[in-house]
Amino acid sequence: MTQTAQTLSTDATTQIADALNQCVAETAVATMLAQNFHWNVTGMAFGPLHDLFQKIYEDHFVAQDDLAERIRALDVYAKGTLAGMLKRSKISEADGVPSAEEMIRLMKEAQETLAETLAGAGELAASLGDTLTEDLCIARGQTHEKFAWFLRSHLA
């Protein structure tokens, strides 16, 4: 049975919000990763990579807000501390300044992780009757898969 934020059980909203908070954490870490790479990329592919990393962090900044606002629509608080996000995230910060190729590989892995996390959150939401959250997760997951494809293409 399809439900809205107001008709979901407390247990359902808690589970969905936890999954979405995981998505927010990983999106936030990936945002900063992309911005760091945007600032620091060098080499023959500087221009296209500089632009791609900017597209990624700009997309992710908006996505963080969309995901957090869905948590709030569920009447749960979004977990917004950087330390908490880093602790929860399956995506890690990069140590030092990696090579351009390593930046691409790390960002590709981050995009794949985000797609997987969002797919899981979407499946959970669907199983609990929250098609609106499922739809958000599907759309975001597709975006991350597209970014992963772009990045894989640089490594081919």
Side-chain angles (χ1 to χ4, degrees), residues 2 46 66 78 84 90:
T2 300
F46 168 80
D66 291 343
K90 292 178 270 181

Side-chain angles (χ1 to χ4, degrees), residues 10 16-17 43-44 55 97 116 119 124 130 134 137 144 146 148:
T10 301
I16 295 164
M44 292 300 295
K55 284 182 180 132
V97 179
E116 184 179 307
L124 173 68
D130 183 359
E134 178 191 20
C137 291
H144 295 296
K146 186 174 182 179

Side-chain angles (χ1 to χ4, degrees), residues 10-73:
T10 301
D11 181 57
T13 57
T14 299
Q15 289 182 58
I16 295 164
D18 285 347
L20 288 173
N21 270 310
Q22 182 67 34
C23 295
V24 170
E26 291 176 9
T27 303
V29 174
T31 302
M32 197 64 235
L33 193 66
Q35 196 159 32
N36 179 22
F37 293 169
H38 167 79
W39 291 332
N40 292 306
V41 69
T42 59
M44 292 300 295
F46 168 80
L49 289 176
H50 183 75
D51 291 346
L52 179 57
F53 291 140
Q54 182 173 351
K55 284 182 180 132
I56 292 171
Y57 77 71
E58 287 175 345
D59 168 82
H60 290 21
F61 185 79
V62 173
Q64 291 173 69
D65 197 50
D66 291 343
L67 292 162
E69 286 179 352
R70 182 62 189 158
I71 295 167
R72 292 299 298 133

